[in-house]
Amino acid sequence: MEKKVFYGMSVLGIVSIFALIGCGGGSSSSGISYNKQVLDIDFKATDSINNRAAYVTSQCYTKTTDDNNNIHNPCFTCHINSETPNYINDFELQEVLDFGDYTKVNRFTNLFKDRTQAVNNISDEKILNYIRENNYKDSNNNLILANKLNNIPSNWDVNENGKWDGYTPDCYFNFDNEGFDKKPNGEYTGWRAFAYYPFLGTFWPTNGSTDDVLIRLAKEFQQDSNGVFNKEIYKINLAIVESLIKRKDIDLENSVDENLYQVDLDNNGTLSTASKIVYNWNKYSYNETTGKYYNFSMSYVGLAKTLLESNTYLIGPGRYPKDTEFLHTVRYIDIDKTNDTIKMASRMKELRYGKKYTWLGDWEMENATSAEVKDKNDFPDRIRTIQGNTEEGLLTGLGWVYQGFIEDENGELRPQNYEETQYCIGCHSGIGATTDSTFVFQRKFDNAHFQKGWYHWSQDTNGLKGILEPKTPDDRYEYTLYLEQNQAGDEFRNNSEIMEKFFDNEGNLLNDQVQIMRENIAYLLYPSTKRALELNKAYKVIVDEQSFIYGRDAHVKPVQNVEKEIKDIGSSTGIIAVKYE
């Protein structure tokens, strides 16, 4: 066995060592064998070995013009006009190839690999056995990764203080009939699962993964004025946050006596029985003498109400309160033969975590965005500086920290290193499509759905079956708009199943297929069993190589509709930008 070692200096002058082990043959814990090379991960590096601009994702290199001069626009999904306090408003990026001298090169070279042989060497039985293993919890409900982090391996201990200083998993994925997670002893963890319309393109299951998202507000939002946990107060505060994020009225799960909380939740001018949170935002006042904000037109309840009045926590439209957390798992696609459909696999590909660690005012958000834009205009070839490390996560510059865990070559979850985590930062801090740096809570199902939208996908065997197509902010059918603009079902135009199902030979969208999808989004979003298994195998090959820094998009054949290098920086994409009115 030959071991090749590559050296590179980080920005802090630390030598980062990546070992590429060339193996004549290899096997994983699942018994899957084929020729492979394994990249050894440097967890202490604070610079990148392959791509110093990994925050520019692989999808950004998509060819927008095909061989027949047809224009394809998947770009609007991320680059779109935004609503304050998201000041990015980058819809114009749909129309121009806005790359720099460094970022013009597509360093996600996994896109161009042919994985046919490696995929063919993995049987259906072996991949199904593999994805049905739980790599998060053991049979005694112990959290496997948490136990590792509590006894931290030395190569994960970036600051060498003998303990893990980042997020330690504390969700048990043990949900009650309202989506609340519980510990084995019955205590609530604060995490709550919710169902949502999958974001466009990459996050559709037909393109390679299933996923779920959970939210947790700070403990003060879960407590009454005496600091005692109160589930009803927590539910009300979550509804208030949902109203602020969606900027609309939100039905309460149960009628609420406003006198108990001294908050006019339905904004009708009296304290009575409220059935909904009425969104009614007016700019609050500022007392120059005390330095405090006051006269809020909307308020939290319980202890959070008191802390709002003291300005320990603040409130605003399109904003989560400080200390809000999200947990996002990305998983393989399992097959549910009894329900003739796919389902979420037990095995996690990734565990992603985000926390809003500080509250930025409107002027701070605007200044941060303006400074980024000015820097880009003045120094177009300058690489963005992203603060953080493997252990504590990476900062967005907009008040959030993100951290991820991903499979090692044995299928066990490990921390993502600096470069691997950069892949998450660009989307969560540099595009118009997000609300307070997030993608999904604004897409949460409403009260008309199962468990009023508060459930984990594992709690409803129907999954996305029977769910109606969502609409855009300006009342257009969202998935239909994506198909019309992109003339495909993914950014790379690599999903042949959707192409064959929804388009004729001339690339025209088939209205009869769209009408079926309008009543059942699973018709579009779910892959066939064959495709699901192929994509599972293709991703497993990347896991075995540990080559995530070269791209983690699952495919078998080389992707054709992607540039290896942008030849004409600043030129037109040919797209006429989509905007939401």
Side-chain angles (χ1 to χ4, degrees), residues 67-222:
D67 293 338
N68 297 317
N69 291 319
N70 296 311
I71 303 299
H72 302 264
N73 181 11
C75 311
F76 80 94
T77 63
C78 293
H79 304 295
I80 195 71
N81 52 307
S82 55
E83 192 170 4
T84 58
N86 183 343
Y87 291 92
I88 294 171
N89 200 41
D90 60 348
F91 67 92
E92 293 176 346
L93 287 183
Q94 298 173 41
E95 299 181 341
V96 62
L97 295 169
D98 189 20
F99 291 81
D101 189 58
Y102 182 86
T103 57
K104 70 181 181 181
V105 177
N106 182 357
R107 292 173 171 81
F108 296 107
T109 53
N110 273 348
L111 291 168
F112 310 111
K113 287 188 176 181
D114 189 333
R115 303 191 182 282
T116 303
Q117 180 179 349
V119 167
N120 288 343
N121 286 341
I122 304 173
S123 70
D124 292 352
E125 180 183 5
K126 285 181 177 178
I127 196 64
L128 285 172
N129 288 339
Y130 179 75
I131 68 170
R132 288 169 178 169
E133 295 172 351
N134 193 327
N135 61 343
Y136 182 80
K137 282 195 305 185
D138 66 20
S139 58
N140 294 318
N141 282 323
N142 297 309
L143 305 185
I144 299 169
L145 178 59
N147 288 342
K148 283 188 177 181
L149 294 172
N150 288 330
N151 298 278
I152 183 173
S154 60
N155 61 327
W156 294 3
D157 188 7
V158 174
N159 58 16
E160 299 182 352
N161 67 350
K163 64 185 181 70
W164 179 255
D165 292 311
Y167 169 69
T168 299
D170 58 351
C171 177
Y172 286 82
F173 292 87
N174 174 37
F175 303 104
D176 68 12
N177 60 6
E178 294 180 306
F180 286 100
D181 178 54
K182 287 185 167 186
K183 299 178 182 179
N185 65 7
E187 294 179 4
Y188 289 103
T189 64
W191 289 111
R192 195 180 192 189
F194 60 93
Y196 51 90
Y197 299 100
F199 191 70
L200 299 170
T202 293
F203 286 99
W204 291 350
T206 184
N207 291 321
S209 300
T210 57
D211 70 338
D212 57 11
V213 182
L214 296 84
I215 186 173
R216 179 165 66 183
L217 302 184
K219 63 180 182 180
E220 292 85 352
F221 289 76
Q222 307 172 32

Side-chain angles (χ1 to χ4, degrees), residues 308-498:
L308 173 62
E309 292 166 354
S310 69
N311 287 192
T312 303
Y313 287 94
L314 291 172
I315 192 169
R319 303 282 192 93
Y320 299 98
K322 180 171 64 77
D323 298 327
T324 296
E325 300 168 279
F326 281 95
L327 202 59
H328 175 205
T329 80
V330 182
R331 309 196 191 200
Y332 292 86
I333 309 169
D334 201 353
I335 310 301
D336 187 348
K337 294 182 179 179
T338 62
N339 204 29
D340 188 31
T341 189
I342 61 125
K343 64 179 181 180
M344 176 175 288
S346 292
R347 176 172 293 278
M348 295 180 185
K349 294 180 176 181
E350 298 181 49
L351 177 67
R352 299 174 176 179
Y353 172 78
K355 181 175 183 177
K356 183 172 182 174
Y357 65 90
T358 191
W359 176 282
L360 298 180
D362 280 1
W363 66 272
E364 292 173 300
M365 297 284 283
E366 186 172 14
N367 285 350
T369 303
S370 297
E372 189 79 26
V373 171
K374 184 178 186 303
D375 190 68
K376 173 67 176 175
N377 291 336
D378 292 348
F379 307 99
D381 295 325
R382 179 179 286 176
I383 303 301
R384 180 180 173 189
T385 299
I386 297 175
Q387 302 293 330
N389 58 56
T390 295
E391 187 172 353
E392 296 173 305
L394 270 58
L395 306 182
T396 64
L398 296 173
W400 289 79
V401 60
Y402 283 91
Q403 186 164 34
F405 304 89
I406 203 162
E407 286 181 281
D408 66 15
E409 66 267 32
N410 296 313
E412 298 180 359
L413 293 172
R414 62 155 177 86
Q416 288 188 152
N417 77 350
Y418 177 87
E419 183 172 359
E420 291 167 333
T421 308
Q422 271 198 71
Y423 192 76
C424 307
I425 295 299
C427 293
H428 283 286
S429 65
I431 62 175
T434 58
T435 300
D436 201 358
S437 296
T438 70
F439 285 90
V440 177
F441 196 57
Q442 60 269 37
R443 305 176 67 86
K444 175 189 167 292
F445 290 170
D446 61 25
N447 271 19
H449 290 79
F450 176 67
Q451 290 188 188
K452 301 180 180 179
W454 291 106
Y455 66 95
H456 188 259
W457 298 120
S458 62
Q459 295 182 282
D460 183 8
T461 57
N462 288 322
L464 294 169
K465 284 190 171 183
I467 302 297
L468 304 181
E469 182 181 4
K471 290 189 174 183
T472 63
D474 55 3
D475 208 39
R476 286 181 277 183
Y477 283 104
E478 185 182 36
Y479 294 163
T480 301
L481 178 64
Y482 182 84
L483 295 174
E484 290 171 344
Q485 289 292 320
N486 193 26
Q487 299 175 52
D490 68 309
E491 294 85 350
F492 303 127
R493 304 194 296 283
N494 201 47
N495 188 327
S496 57
E497 280 193 354
I498 288 181

Side-chain angles (χ1 to χ4, degrees), residues 318 340 531 552 562 574 580:
D340 188 31
R531 178 172 172 80
R552 61 187 75 177
V562 180
Y580 296 143

